[in-house]
Each structure stands twice: as structure tokens, then as C-alpha cells.
Amino acid sequence: MAQQERGGTEGESAAQIIESVRDRVRARREPEVGDVITVLGRKSYAPLLMVPGLALVSPLSGIPGFSSICGITIALVSLQMMAHRRVLWLPKWLRHRHLDKERGPKVIGWFRRPARWLDRVSRNRMALLTRRPLVVLPLSFCLLAGLIIPFLEMLPFTSSILGGVVAIIGAGLFARDGLITLLGMGLVIAAVSAAIYAI
């Protein structure tokens, strides 16, 4: 279900991709995480960093264990993007995790606002940072954040902050905007430093 080849954005904006995800979830009788990944994977792997990152700053972040699932997803996607895998692998227990039929589309609709913001502010700037070989650097930051998030679930706001900055990096990669990507990397350093200080 998640086995999609990496590609470009096919001319679609971030807001249009979110609409595609919501339509897919609405159409399924028992929607699963894999349905979201299938739609996103057709466009680009970058939204697969954006969505779990944004989910961590959404109302879903209060669900026990949800932050850990998002962190694991971010780490797995980052690692496979760094390895330049053409087929994304995620464990079955994650791909087949059910989404609430009523609440799912509403939560996905919440993502439209940040997606529209990205469409407005993103530009083709410092694009070398979003392409190989330099793209490994921001992906390393996402991998680090993803690995740390499960251990910070009990600390208020830390997972949400890290998720937010991962979403910024993913947005920069999706839009080929190296300036946004660089901003996200700086915020990861600040967030990780604050989390270590809090511990």
C-alpha cells in the first residue's frame, strides 16, 4: 500500500495534496494510515515528513502513544530518503492502523491552513540544499528529531515543537525552498538543546 515511487509534486500545491488525502480517507469505509501514505507517496516523500510533523502540533498530539508513532514514522521516512530508496517501507502495524472515519477527515482538513501558508511563502531559493547530495544534511536533522521524539512524549510541548520544525524542513524540501529548510534545521538545533536542558 505504501509502495510508491518517489516523484515530483506533479504541479500540485500543498493544499491540493491535503485535499487528495482527505478525499481518499472519506472514500474508504475503514481508512488506515496506509491510505494517507499511498496518496502522499505518489507526489513526493517530503509530505511524509510534513504530515506527521504537523500532526504533532494538532489536537491528535494529546492521544497517548501518538507522538511515538509520529516520531518513528519521521525517522523511518528520513532514513529511507537518505538511502535514496525508490520504494518506501513502513511496518504493517503502522500502515494498517485505523483512522477514525468521522474525525479523520476533520483533522486532515486542519492541515489545509499550514498548507496554504506554504503555498504563499515558498519560493525556489537555495535549491541546492533540497537536492542530493546536500539534502542528506536536513534529512539527518529530521532523523535525529524522529529518534528523540518517542523519548520526550512525557515532557509537555517538546514533541510538538520538534514535530513543528520537522514539518518546516519537510515543507522546504517539498517546495524546493532551501531557505525554509535552513530555518527548520536551525530550529531543530534550538529545540533539541532546549529538550536536553529540560531533562
Side-chain angles (χ1 to χ4, degrees), residues 40 46 90 94 127 130 143 159-160 185:
L40 295 179
L90 289 177
L94 179 56
T130 68
L143 175 61
S159 295
S160 294
M185 291 164 60

Side-chain angles (χ1 to χ4, degrees), residues 46-69:
L48 293 175
L49 293 175
M50 293 168 56
V51 168
L54 287 172
L56 286 168
V57 297
S58 77
L60 290 174
S61 60
I63 300 174
F66 184 78
S67 294
S68 295
I69 291 174

Side-chain angles (χ1 to χ4, degrees), residues 66-78:
F66 184 78
S67 294
S68 295
I69 291 174
C70 289
I72 292 170
T73 302
I74 290 168
L76 287 173
V77 172
S78 302

Side-chain angles (χ1 to χ4, degrees), residues 56 61-68 148-160 195 198-199:
L56 286 168
S61 60
I63 300 174
F66 184 78
S67 294
S68 295
I148 291 176
I149 285 171
F151 297 99
L152 300 178
E153 188 160 355
M154 301 306 296
L155 293 177
F157 305 116
T158 52
S159 295
S160 294
I199 294 174

Side-chain angles (χ1 to χ4, degrees), residues 129-153:
L129 192 58
T130 68
R131 297 195 291 261
R132 299 185 71 85
L134 294 183
V135 72
V136 174
L137 185 58
L139 289 175
S140 299
F141 278 70
C142 292
L143 175 61
L144 174 64
L147 292 174
I148 291 176
I149 285 171
F151 297 99
L152 300 178
E153 188 160 355

